[in-house]
Amino acid sequence: MASLAIIGLLGYGLIKKGDGGVGIGSAAPNATLSKLGIDEPVSLDDYRGRWVLLNVWASWCGPCRTESPALQSFAQENRSKLAVIGVDTRDLSEDALNFVDEYGLTYAQWHDGDGSYAQDLGATGYPESFLVDPAGKLVAHYPGPFQDEAGIAGFAKPALGTAG
């Protein structure tokens, strides 16, 4: 049954691939969400002037679990250069909070309960990551899980100011 649900979600993602979302160089969507587990509004405007790596995830997503340790380590090591923000989507807050606790995630976490923000970004699966520049424009999109910190660093290269 779980396999059918995953296949269904993947199929839905492929069908929706061309719908919505922002293109590279366009302004990233700036909806107001809430911090995960706290009824406090947050948005990308709060991070204007900083690089932001948005990582769309869900607690029931196996690949999200696999990439979490590398993303946490990357966020800690590079917090002076960019903000990493987890966007928990289409998930129960309690399950998401348990996930955050289980993986010791200390970077900011937002809650997108109905998945509308992920859809506005153009996410078609989980996890997916988006790099936003200090002016609020989308610079890069990575559909799928990062395998390690080096992969995340390669994706975030514009924010890290590394040559190569």
Side-chain angles (χ1 to χ4, degrees):
M1 195 68 151
S3 296
L4 289 175
I6 291 170
I7 291 169
L9 282 172
L10 290 172
Y12 174 78
L14 290 173
I15 291 167
K16 298 297 282 181
K17 195 77 168 158
D19 293 356
V22 294
I24 302 298
S26 299
N30 191 34
T32 299
L33 299 174
S34 63
K35 290 183 179 179
L36 182 61
I38 304 169
D39 190 21
E40 184 178 324
V42 288
S43 74
L44 274 179
D45 271 350
D46 300 335
Y47 292 84
R48 192 57 53 108
R50 288 200 70 195
W51 284 93
V52 176
L53 189 158
L54 293 171
N55 178 259
V56 178
W57 64 276
S59 64
W60 44 263
C61 161
C64 299
R65 293 178 173 277
T66 302
E67 83 170 356
S68 288
L71 200 54
Q72 170 60 30
S73 182
F74 175 84
Q76 279 296 116
E77 290 176 21
N78 295 285
R79 65 183 174 266
S80 66
K81 297 177 182 175
L82 80 164
V84 174
I85 300 171
V87 180
D88 171 54
T89 191
R90 296 179 192 231
D91 206 355
L92 299 174
S93 291
E94 184 177 339
D95 292 344
L97 289 168
N98 288 337
F99 179 99
V100 167
D101 185 50
E102 179 180 347
Y103 290 95
L105 305 180
T106 59
Y107 53 91
Q109 298 292 332
W110 297 356
H111 186 63
D112 177 31
D114 66 1
S116 59
Y117 187 66
Q119 185 175 354
D120 290 347
L121 282 166
T124 58
Y126 310 104
E128 286 194 39
S129 295
F130 301 84
L131 187 63
V132 180
D133 74 11
K137 296 210 186 293
L138 182 65
V139 172
H141 171 218
Y142 191 86
F146 292 112
Q147 300 304 310
D148 53 31
E149 277 187 76
I152 303 168
F155 172 73
K157 189 185 225 179
L160 302 176
T162 53

